[in-house]
Amino acid sequence: MSGVVPTAPEQPASEMEKQIKSQDPRPDAPPGYNSHFVPGPPRPAVFPSAGCQGGLPMGYYSPQQPSTFPLYQPSGGIQTIQYQPGKYPLPNQCAPITWMPAPTPRPDCPPGLEYLAQLDNIHVLQHFEPLEMITGFETNNRYDVKNNSDQMVYIVNEDMEDFTRNAYRTLRPFVLRVTDCMGREIMTIQRPFRCTCCCFCCPSARQELEVQCPPGVTIGYVAEHWNLCRAVYSIQNEKKESVMRVLGPCSTYGCGSDSVFEIQSLDGVFNIGNIIRKWNGLLSAMADADHFDIHFPLDLDVKMKAMIFGACFLIDFMYFERSPEQNSGSQRDTANQQ
């Protein structure tokens, strides 16, 4: 019959299943799909908003997180860091942070000290820790280092375990790690433990501080010298040869006024700069929230600038770091006897 369309002979169901399985040996293989995605034109990346209301910065670089990087936003060929490296805070919990533009590396300057080569004044701001004042548990100190334009230059974090920090309090040995905008440790400041049980004029009881830049390479020391009524330090090079001296005030250490530590030549004729501990009123009297201004000549050797910067922290721990278990009067007496 011409109107009938020939059809294939019917096959048993078992034979048809065998043919289907022979085409795809995978059990329960999913059907193949054709991708219909067509990529569009490239667009600039959208970064989170840097502006937020209220509060101080909550996230800070931690040495235990070296693989984290900050978020940045290009602006006129200069990369402005909006958040500190490390743990990023949640939105609306921090204030925007602006970093000092990274200077060009110099062959005659240790890596990371190019910032100091361009400055003649820096501000060292210690973080206020309300939990430390309430509970009496000593925590690691943290500092922000800024220039006159309120741009962040460095972040300083103390790295010391809890037992030693709370057992020795203000006399504790410490390691301070100075990091730049990329979270790289560019400087290490170390203070060894010195016993103060013996006579305070004994050389073994005098405090000392070592500055390394880059970490592992010593560039100098800050050594305490005994004096009956005032703080005296010498700033030394890597060979422990005295280069400059630091002379503190006679009897008052931050009681209602600024404390000025003068940086002078060894003979005391030339005044090179100074380290000023600013009086912050109630915070200075009751809490560890010190503010230091450091002044030095713009053309001073960058290594000596780093040494003056390191001397600021030894001064802070010896005279202005208050233990929660001590009142301010006994704290000053302990500092003066070191």
Side-chain angles (χ1 to χ4, degrees):
M1 297 175 62
S2 60
V4 178
V5 179
T7 58
E10 296 183 358
Q11 297 180 357
S14 60
E15 294 183 2
M16 294 179 65
E17 292 177 357
K18 290 181 181 180
Q19 291 180 2
I20 294 174
K21 292 183 179 180
S22 62
Q23 294 176 359
D24 191 351
R26 295 175 299 175
D28 301 329
Y33 291 96
N34 295 326
S35 176
H36 298 283
F37 171 75
V38 178
R43 298 181 178 179
V46 179
F47 297 91
S49 175
C52 49
Q53 299 178 353
L56 293 174
M58 300 295 293
Y60 292 88
Y61 168 78
S62 172
Q64 289 77 20
Q65 295 183 347
S67 60
T68 55
F69 293 91
L71 296 178
Y72 64 93
Q73 187 172 7
S75 175
I78 299 177
Q79 296 178 353
T80 303
I81 304 301
Q82 297 292 348
Y83 293 93
Q84 289 177 319
K87 298 179 180 179
Y88 298 111
L90 296 176
N92 300 327
Q93 289 188 358
C94 71
I97 297 174
T98 303
W99 286 81
M100 179 179 174
T104 304
R106 296 169 46 181
D108 59 340
C109 180
L113 295 188
E114 298 89 356
Y115 297 91
L116 294 181
Q118 299 182 352
L119 301 173
D120 60 356
N121 181 19
I122 56 176
H123 306 271
V124 180
L125 309 173
Q126 184 179 3
H127 286 229
F128 172 61
E129 300 289 351
L131 185 63
E132 178 180 312
M133 186 174 61
I134 296 173
T135 63
F137 183 83
E138 190 76 27
T139 60
N140 282 322
N141 286 359
R142 299 180 298 169
Y143 305 84
D144 291 342
V145 183
K146 298 184 177 182
N147 59 14
N148 284 336
S149 301
D150 202 34
Q151 295 175 329
M152 193 80 73
V153 181
Y154 298 125
I155 297 177
V156 183
N157 288 281
E158 182 183 0
D159 186 8
M160 183 54 59
E161 47 94 10
D162 294 339
F163 176 79
T164 301
R165 189 174 60 249
N166 285 272
Y168 295 99
R169 297 287 176 171
T170 59
L171 296 176
R172 66 184 183 265
F174 60 74
V175 177
L176 299 178
R177 305 191 184 278
V178 184
T179 56
D180 62 2
C181 63
M182 294 300 295
R184 297 171 298 187
E185 183 178 348
I186 56 98
M187 188 187 307
T188 303
I189 302 174
Q190 298 181 353
R191 175 197 187 186
F193 175 74
R194 292 297 176 89
C195 179
T196 58
C197 298
C198 58
C199 178
F200 57 85
C201 61
C202 178
S204 62
R206 300 174 190 172
Q207 300 299 313
E208 187 180 72
L209 182 138
E210 179 184 355
V211 178
Q212 300 176 358
C213 183
V217 180
T218 302
I219 63 173
Y221 300 86
V222 180
E224 180 192 17
H225 293 271
W226 179 81
N227 191 280
L228 186 60
C229 62
R230 66 193 323 176
V232 179
Y233 303 90
S234 65
I235 296 180
Q236 305 170 347
N237 58 18
E238 66 276 6
K239 299 179 181 179
K240 289 196 172 184
E241 299 172 346
S242 296
V243 180
M244 297 178 290
R245 72 172 185 174
V246 180
L247 197 64
C250 292
S251 58
T252 302
Y253 294 98
C255 184
S257 61
D258 296 346
S259 300
V260 181
F261 294 77
E262 297 181 356
I263 304 167
Q264 302 176 347
S265 58
L266 293 179
D267 54 8
V269 176
F270 301 101
N271 188 9
I272 300 174
N274 51 51
I275 301 173
I276 304 175
R277 190 260 190 171
K278 307 293 290 185
W279 174 255
N280 290 331
L282 189 62
L283 285 178
S284 297
M286 299 182 60
D288 292 335
D290 295 318
H291 175 190
F292 290 89
D293 281 355
I294 304 178
H295 301 265
F296 36 61
L298 183 62
D299 57 351
L300 184 66
D301 181 24
V302 69
K303 291 184 179 180
M304 291 299 103
K305 290 184 179 181
M307 294 306 306
I308 296 173
F309 173 64
C312 171
F313 297 102
L314 184 58
I315 292 172
D316 181 32
F317 273 82
M318 289 187 62
Y319 297 101
F320 306 110
E321 181 73 10
R322 290 175 175 81
S323 173
E325 296 180 355
Q326 299 174 342
N327 56 37
S328 59
S330 61
Q331 178 67 17
R332 293 191 188 95
D333 293 339
T334 301
N336 291 333
Q337 292 178 3
Q338 296 178 8

